[in-house]
Amino acid sequence: MNFLFKIILLFSRLPLQVLYLFSDVIFFLMYHLVGYRKKVVTENLKKSFPEKSVVEISTIRKSFYRNFSDYILETFKSFTISSTELRVRVQHINQDVFKDAKAENKNVILLAGHIFNWEWFNALATIIPQENCFPVYRKVQNSFWEEKIKGIRNSFGNQALEAKEVIRHIFRNRNDGNSVYMFIADQTPHVSEVTYGLNFLNQKTPAFVGYDKLSTRMDLAFVFCEMKKVKRGYYQINYYRIYPDGEKFVEHEVVRKFHKMLENTINKRPDNYLWSHRRWKYQHAIKVMETGI
């Protein structure tokens, strides 16, 4: 494992222009030869966009595999990329939301989706006024890779938190506007944890609701992250504050609003979303289905 990781580190030090040549090879293998999860991707796209033609679905699918291949190589690059290069490659728009939350003495809950490339959020910690940034991640079963991947999450002064411990951490941490928690909030709950569902991309979708408990019990600042791929290797993130309709959030309100904003983002550039995931496999386990979204 150590030898393999040393090779990966050497590989990640190559310029991105060179790594993208490998991305082209991966795309050819995944899309044309292996057909990696092509059936899953096609089914997800057809159900999400029933109004689109076979040709349109095929075009989105092919572009998705190109973006997915870039994501894989950019993730390798994450082991050695500098904060300086990430600042050039990722533009953060509307940083005032962090200044406002700091002034209001409210910790921030960042809600992002699986839009390429969500792995490059990390350098945000170097440019916002909050001292503590906590990326939330799901634990990898292999202990060796768990340590290495957590190392990526901990770069640039971040302090990665495993998903099972984050809610407890937020409740115990002082709500003083000095902490940011970074959620990939469209995770699929384990079937044993599925309770609430909503209509997302024209499908009944089990929704992760852990952060919803925070919205109704604590006065926090919720922020949606809209990732946009400008061109190969360059991204733009727009940050939008999510406000309650009333004085405070009611149950599932922030979940509905997040999914609506994410859906709007996906509709703009559907090829940038992670379609290879079996996101809708636990529809049958939904106990409470939202009808208002």
Side-chain angles (χ1 to χ4, degrees):
M1 284 289 189
N2 275 315
F3 179 72
L4 175 61
F5 183 65
K6 287 178 180 178
I7 293 175
I8 290 174
L9 281 182
L10 288 173
F11 184 69
S12 74
R13 295 186 187 280
L14 292 172
L16 271 167
Q17 293 89 332
V18 177
L19 291 177
Y20 285 137
L21 297 177
F22 289 94
S23 173
D24 293 339
V25 174
I26 291 174
F27 163 73
F28 180 80
L29 293 174
M30 280 202 304
Y31 186 75
H32 292 288
L33 291 186
V34 179
Y36 172 74
R37 291 196 173 183
K38 190 174 281 190
K39 184 178 179 180
V40 173
V41 172
T42 304
E43 183 179 355
N44 284 342
L45 286 170
K46 284 182 176 179
K47 289 183 177 180
S48 297
F49 305 106
E51 77 285 356
K52 294 189 183 296
S53 68
V54 173
V55 173
E56 288 174 311
I57 293 296
S58 179
T59 299
I60 294 170
R61 183 181 64 192
K62 189 173 184 179
S63 295
F64 157 74
Y65 278 100
R66 290 191 182 280
N67 289 327
F68 186 39
S69 301
D70 283 355
Y71 161 76
I72 292 171
L73 270 298
E74 288 168 359
T75 301
F76 279 125
K77 187 65 178 176
S78 297
F79 282 109
T80 57
I81 197 168
S82 68
S83 61
T84 301
E85 184 171 4
L86 270 183
R87 286 189 188 185
V88 173
R89 293 188 173 277
V90 182
Q91 185 181 15
H92 300 269
I93 308 298
N94 194 23
Q95 296 178 36
D96 285 346
V97 295
F98 301 101
K99 297 175 183 176
D100 292 344
K102 177 86 170 178
E104 296 169 18
N105 294 316
K106 295 179 181 180
N107 289 341
V108 177
I109 306 297
L110 282 182
L111 303 177
H114 283 90
I115 303 287
F116 302 124
N117 182 345
W118 66 88
E119 295 288 355
W120 280 6
F121 275 106
N122 280 6
L124 175 68
T126 66
I127 59 177
I128 58 177
Q130 284 79 4
E131 293 181 10
N132 307 307
C133 280
F134 302 98
V136 181
Y137 75 101
R138 284 188 173 181
K139 193 172 184 178
V140 177
Q141 294 301 317
N142 183 289
S143 59
F144 178 85
W145 290 111
E146 159 70 11
E147 178 188 349
K148 301 307 178 186
I149 293 174
K150 189 173 181 178
I152 294 178
R153 306 293 200 280
N154 281 333
S155 57
F156 313 121
N158 288 292
Q159 305 168 62
L161 291 173
E162 205 273 321
K164 291 183 179 180
E165 65 186 44
V166 66
I167 301 299
R168 186 184 303 111
H169 188 281
I170 294 173
F171 279 127
R172 291 179 177 177
N173 190 22
R174 184 179 177 186
N175 186 19
D176 58 1
N178 208 29
S179 295
V180 176
Y181 295 85
M182 307 160 78
F183 284 79
I184 303 299
D186 61 337
Q187 298 276 7
T188 301
H190 186 271
V191 63
S192 63
E193 299 173 346
V194 173
T195 55
Y196 174 78
L198 42 69
N199 185 32
F200 174 65
L201 293 170
N202 294 302
Q203 298 175 75
K204 289 175 60 178
T205 305
F208 170 70
V209 296
Y211 58 91
D212 186 68
K213 299 175 184 177
L214 304 170
S215 69
T216 56
R217 300 181 190 180
M218 296 181 69
D219 191 13
L220 301 164
F222 286 81
V223 175
F224 175 70
C225 310
E226 183 180 57
M227 176 72 84
K228 174 184 177 183
K229 188 171 186 176
V230 179
K231 60 181 180 178
R232 198 176 209 182
Y234 292 89
Y235 297 88
Q236 184 182 88
I237 308 175
N238 281 273
Y239 297 99
Y240 299 99
R241 184 81 171 262
I242 303 176
Y243 290 100
D245 290 335
E247 291 186 6
K248 61 180 183 178
F249 287 107
V250 297
E251 187 179 24
H252 299 145
E253 182 181 2
V254 71
V255 181
R256 293 194 303 271
K257 290 186 174 182
F258 162 73
H259 279 84
K260 187 63 177 178
M261 296 171 86
L262 179 59
E263 186 175 79
N264 290 337
T265 300
I266 294 169
N267 284 330
K268 294 175 187 175
R269 281 291 305 272
D271 55 306
N272 279 331
Y273 192 57
L274 185 63
W275 295 106
S276 56
H277 185 58
R278 293 185 174 90
R279 194 169 310 283
W280 290 279
K281 62 182 177 180
Y282 296 142
Q283 291 177 327
H284 65 279
I286 296 173
K287 299 176 179 63
V288 178
M289 182 65 191
E290 178 65 53
T291 58
I293 189 172

